[in-house]
Amino acid sequence: MEGHPYVGRLFDFEFEIMVDMSSDRVKPRDILASLKKRDAKNASTIKTIYNARQKFRTSEKAGKSHIQSLMSFLHEHMYLFYYRTNDITNELQDLFFAHPDSLEILRAFPHVLLMDATYKTNRFRMPLLEIVGVTPTNMTYCIAFVLLNSEKEYNYTWALRCL
């Protein structure tokens, strides 16, 4: 049965090891090497690891969309966030979020702010505005991120008001 997916499957304890290592941001090739080191008869491939990671991520989202997962993450980790939705379709229009520690650094060093937008490079085709600050030692720090519905002046004005 060499090369058959059944032989290369992960057992429950191997799946748990893969989940733990993935949450520690270990690369898939290193996860596979670790599993093969534990069991010389392990016939898993790198594709098995990728599939198992995807299966875990899907089950972790519990049927939520990407935006719903993002909103849950922001809420769970105590981010400061604001959003606007379309009144008719209830679709997300704009989303502003910032980590509380970033805002503390902003309060200490509010003198220089830089803003840059990447245009429609994400799957939602929404511009991503990044707001960063500069410390007196010329180090930059992230302050906030904003997903914008469009590149209109009122969208940028809204983002700055949120900040």
Side-chain angles (χ1 to χ4, degrees), residues 10-90:
L10 295 179
F11 294 103
D12 290 340
F13 72 93
E14 292 174 323
F15 188 81
E16 292 300 321
I17 291 169
M18 185 275 312
V19 168
D20 291 340
M21 293 179 83
S22 291
S23 63
D24 291 338
R25 303 207 188 285
V26 177
K27 294 178 182 175
R29 65 184 159 111
D30 296 331
I31 294 172
L32 181 61
S34 176
L35 292 175
K36 288 190 178 280
K37 189 176 182 181
R38 286 179 177 265
D39 181 12
K41 294 180 181 178
N42 186 319
S44 299
T45 62
I46 195 71
K47 180 82 170 150
T48 308
I49 303 300
Y50 282 121
N51 289 344
R53 285 171 45 135
Q54 184 62 36
K55 179 180 177 183
F56 174 71
R57 284 192 203 119
T58 303
S59 67
E60 194 177 46
K61 283 182 16 179
K64 295 179 182 175
S65 70
H66 292 291
I67 292 294
Q68 289 170 331
S69 296
L70 174 62
M71 298 296 275
S72 296
F73 177 86
L74 295 174
H75 190 280
E76 288 170 16
H77 292 87
M78 308 297 283
Y79 276 69
L80 174 71
F81 66 96
Y82 302 102
Y83 62 91
R84 294 192 300 188
T85 58
N86 185 321
D87 294 332
I88 299 168
T89 62
N90 201 28

Side-chain angles (χ1 to χ4, degrees), residues 96-98 102-103 106 112-117 128-134 140-146 148 155-156 158-163:
F96 171 96
F97 58 97
S102 296
L103 298 175
L106 174 62
V112 178
L113 295 179
L114 303 168
M115 294 179 285
D116 187 26
L128 175 67
L129 175 66
E130 182 180 9
I131 304 172
V132 298
V134 180
T140 59
Y141 61 96
C142 294
I143 298 171
F145 298 92
V146 187
L148 300 170
N155 294 98
Y156 289 102
W158 176 83
L160 291 174
R161 282 195 185 121
C162 290
L163 182 64

